[in-house]
Amino acid sequence: MTTGKLSELNISRWFLPIKEHPLRMLVIFVTYLALARLSIFITLPDSPISPLWLPAGFSLAMLFIYGDKPLPALFLAALSGSISGYYSATSSLPDALLLTTSFAVLNTLQPYLIYHFFINVTNASYPFDKDRNLLAFLLGSLLVIVTTSSLFSALTNLLQLNNDISFTLKLLVFTLADFSGILFITPLVLAHHHFRNVRYISEKLLEWSAWFIGLGMITYLAFYQGIQGIFLMLPLTIWAATRFSQPGCTLAVSITLSLAFFVLIYIEPINPASGLYDQVMLEILLAIIIAATLYVSALLEERQKVASKLEDTVLQRTQELQKANQELIDEVYVRKQAEKSFRRSSRRYKALIETAGSPIVVIDTQYVIKQWNSEAETLFGYSRDEVIGKNYIDCFVPQHHQDETAWKITKVVESGGGKENLESEALAFDGTSHSMLWNINRISNSDDEPAQVILIGQDITEIRTTQDQLHHLAHYDILTGAANRRLFEDRCNQALKQSLRHQHPIALINLDIDFFKRINDTLGHDAGDELLKVIADRLTCCVRNEDTIARLGGDEFAVLLADVNGAEGAELVARNILNAITTPIPLPGGELVITSSIGVSLSPNDGVQYAELLKNADMAMYQAKSAGRNNIQFYSPQMNEDMQRQLTIEQELRHAISNNEFKLYYQPIIDIETGQIVALETLLRWQHPNRGLLKPEEFLQVAEQTGQLLAIGEWALQNACLQGKAVQAMSETPVQITLNLSNRQYSHPQLVKTIERVLMETRFNPRFLVLEIEENTITNKLEESVTTLNKLKQLGLTLTIDSFGTGISSLSHLKKLPIDIIKIDRTFIKGIPEDENDMIITETLINIAHQMNLKTFATGIETREQEAFLKINGCRYVQGYLYSNPLPSELLPQLFQEIRKGLRLNEGEQIFLPLD
């Protein structure tokens, strides 16, 4: 920063108070100029006294009130007020400017130095409340005034101003003038600033009135006596110093001396010939009176504060003594109450021990019983007289809990404090054992008395029993008593760790009951529960004690063989289990034979983690079901590959449903007599993006297991109805559309509503729709099937039993069903004419249908011999590759066009249409 910028910054900081408080600075400036004019007015002509001696006291008072902030305004006021006086005192303009500037600087510097001298010496902010503060103020004022007056006197001599007056006299005059101005104005302004107590004025109103009356009488006498009248002012100042407060005293002294000064000037003017000496004497006299009065006032003020402080100290000490006395009285009272309370508590202690709802036993350090309450008598069956003096541990604590009990009691006694909790069993008179939770505490009446221990007990036998039951419920199956899934997992994890450490294999066997749901449905759930109990018992008999049997849920069980001799040992146990399960179970009306599908996985070959081992055993179990049930399958990696393949198909099926990758193919069903197409069987195909066209057997099983078959079946129904409307338009004769319902579709509770909704949406005539339902699907739930089939008949549909002759139903069942057509399965047609049994069965089925007025049609016709046999035996409707391959929907128009041209399918002219 350059020097010019630094000077500009300092000047701006110096004048900052004027910018922040312009109104206050203006009032100070105007007041200073008014006092300057008054000072010039009362100063004698040709006097060496500075024309601005009176405002010196005002400047100092402003610093005491506002600090250093008024300095710029005071400097400007001093500069403005003195320029006219010094310009008239000297004929030279430069001299006048030099005098004015010097005076303004000294006049501003003088109160600044006095103020900082005072606050640095006393650390106080008011100079007239203590004698040491007043002395510091007077001393600082004299030192600073003498210094500044010396500098200004030397300057006036240098400029030859008032050369007829000596330097010493000038110094004395300047010093007394400024000192008088400070003593005259500063107390007056500060008294006005500090004297704010209106209540004090109201209390001293009578005395103030008397003082002002005295001041008026002395002022009146001064008219006749002149300077001698000043001495009459002395009693008034002493009165003010001794009776009034310090601010009031300074106010009274200032008023008194102001009147005296002006009275002497205007009533008895000072002789010009000796005016300077008279003025000096007058200033000295006034300064002495003011200083003496202020000093006396300060002494009295400080004395009053000391007395007030002493009174406060005495009062505080008295209050402390009273408080200590009261505390002593309270302590005596508390001790008396404590003694009473102790006597009462001693009586209550005995009553509490006796009436407590918990057993309480007091023993000594040798475990000898000293006290025994009534609740302990009730719980353990021993009276107080029987147990007092006996050893508690020997008599009531079982052997396996004695060491722990003795250690806990000794620990409490030796530690001298604290408490312990102990859970142990306690023996009663009748031999029963109670689970007790004891709270052990040490008690002692005094240091010289031996310690005792109090045992406060709680009988938690029921809680422990409940906890044991909850633990059993949390880890064991409530029905069979076998381990549940959580405990089984924990046992398996432990066994796996031991297996890896000791390098021996373990086996996990997973099994469930074949057709268990059928048992529940036919015999009831109570019988099913009893069957599960029997199976759990049989499993227990087939394994060792270290093995674990668990019921994982429903009819699914698992067996952990913790240490087994490889696959041979696991197969031996699994074979024993299978034989045990298949042992007939006697019933009131006969016997029940059940079978089971078992899957086995071995660690570490099939996995070293519980989840992996269980998954592989479960996979092997489902392989056993697929292999015909009632057999044992060991896990192999190929099973995992098959599972992965099924998962892939599942994901691809989900994608196929959303992208409409399915197609419908149709195979004609013809009248064997006329060759006319009477129906088209709907066949589902999947146009796989990578594998090409897939038949249902490649994906329907996965779709049924994953629940996607319902969505696929509804899509097929809707599209078959839509395409069926087109078929009616293409054909010259009515052609029905046949659609096969899977077991899951047929068992769905919304089947009828779904078909009804699709028929309404597609506006397809229901008499042209034929539903094919497998015989086994119907006979599994015969009563429900009758209801469902009747509802479908009410819609106007034609119903067909598919694969007739392969089920286990009786003819009596067939009479109850509202069936229109029976479909002879291709398994019987395939053996014609080579297999005589197939021919007999087929002939029988056709005759049964004729006797019951049911239509029949056979599927799987591939040869003329098969066609001839069926025609001879009265089967009118046939279907097979002899007549036509399944055709995509886009080739149906060509098919019906060929038929209109004269094509007859029953004459051996199989239609060969180009397939995609």
Side-chain angles (χ1 to χ4, degrees), residues 300-316:
L300 294 175
E301 182 74 12
E302 186 173 9
R303 178 182 175 185
Q304 184 177 357
K305 289 183 178 180
V306 171
S308 177
K309 185 176 181 181
L310 181 60
E311 290 179 359
D312 293 341
T313 303
V314 172
L315 180 61
Q316 182 180 0

Side-chain angles (χ1 to χ4, degrees), residues 178 395 578 622:
D178 287 347
C395 296
L578 190 63
Y622 278 104

Side-chain angles (χ1 to χ4, degrees), residues 10 14 48 63 107 173 195 223 235 317 377 382 392 411 444 455 465 496 518 544 590 632 674 693 695 706 855 887 901:
N10 291 334
W14 196 64
L63 293 184
N107 189 265
V173 171
F195 196 59
F223 277 98
R317 183 58 180 166
E377 291 181 351
Y382 291 94
Y392 167 75
K411 182 180 178 182
S444 180
L455 306 178
T465 302
L496 286 169
R518 183 182 300 175
R544 301 162 299 181
I632 301 169
T674 64
L693 193 67
K695 293 184 177 181
T706 58
K855 297 179 181 179
L887 302 175
K901 291 180 180 180

Side-chain angles (χ1 to χ4, degrees), residues 63-249:
L63 293 184
F64 271 105
I65 297 174
Y66 300 113
D68 296 337
K69 294 180 180 180
L71 282 176
L74 295 174
F75 173 76
L76 295 176
L79 192 65
S80 302
S82 62
I83 189 169
S84 60
Y86 286 113
Y87 181 71
S88 61
T90 179
S91 59
S92 173
L93 179 60
D95 293 344
L97 292 175
L98 180 59
L99 284 170
T100 302
T101 305
S102 301
F103 176 79
V105 172
L106 292 174
N107 189 265
T108 307
L109 187 61
Q110 184 184 88
Y112 175 81
L113 294 175
I114 294 173
Y115 171 70
H116 281 280
F117 177 85
F118 174 78
I119 62 175
N120 288 331
V121 172
T122 63
N123 290 326
S125 60
Y126 187 65
F128 305 122
D129 58 344
K130 296 181 180 180
D131 58 341
R132 56 182 177 275
N133 291 352
L134 180 61
L135 291 176
F137 173 75
L138 296 176
L139 177 61
S141 299
L142 286 175
L143 291 176
V144 174
I145 290 172
V146 168
T147 303
T148 55
S149 298
S150 299
L151 293 175
F152 194 70
S153 299
L155 182 62
T156 55
N157 279 348
L158 181 63
L159 296 179
Q160 298 180 355
L161 185 66
N162 302 110
N163 284 333
D164 54 339
I165 303 175
S166 65
F167 174 79
T168 304
L169 186 58
K170 285 182 181 180
L171 176 60
L172 182 60
V173 171
F174 288 158
T175 300
L176 290 175
D178 287 347
F179 192 64
S180 300
I182 287 174
L183 291 179
F184 178 64
I185 296 298
T186 301
L188 182 63
V189 175
L190 290 182
H192 171 72
H193 182 71
H194 288 273
F195 196 59
R196 306 289 177 85
N197 197 340
V198 179
R199 181 179 177 184
Y200 169 78
I201 296 176
S202 63
E203 292 176 354
K204 294 284 186 176
L205 182 60
L206 182 61
E207 190 169 356
W208 274 95
S209 301
W211 185 84
F212 273 111
I213 292 173
L215 178 62
M217 293 176 62
I218 293 173
T219 304
Y220 177 76
L221 293 175
F223 277 98
Y224 301 101
Q225 294 184 5
I227 292 178
Q228 292 78 3
I230 293 176
F231 293 100
L232 297 176
M233 302 293 183
L234 188 58
L236 284 177
T237 58
I238 294 174
W239 185 359
T242 56
R243 291 294 301 167
F244 298 155
S245 66
Q246 203 282 327
C249 175

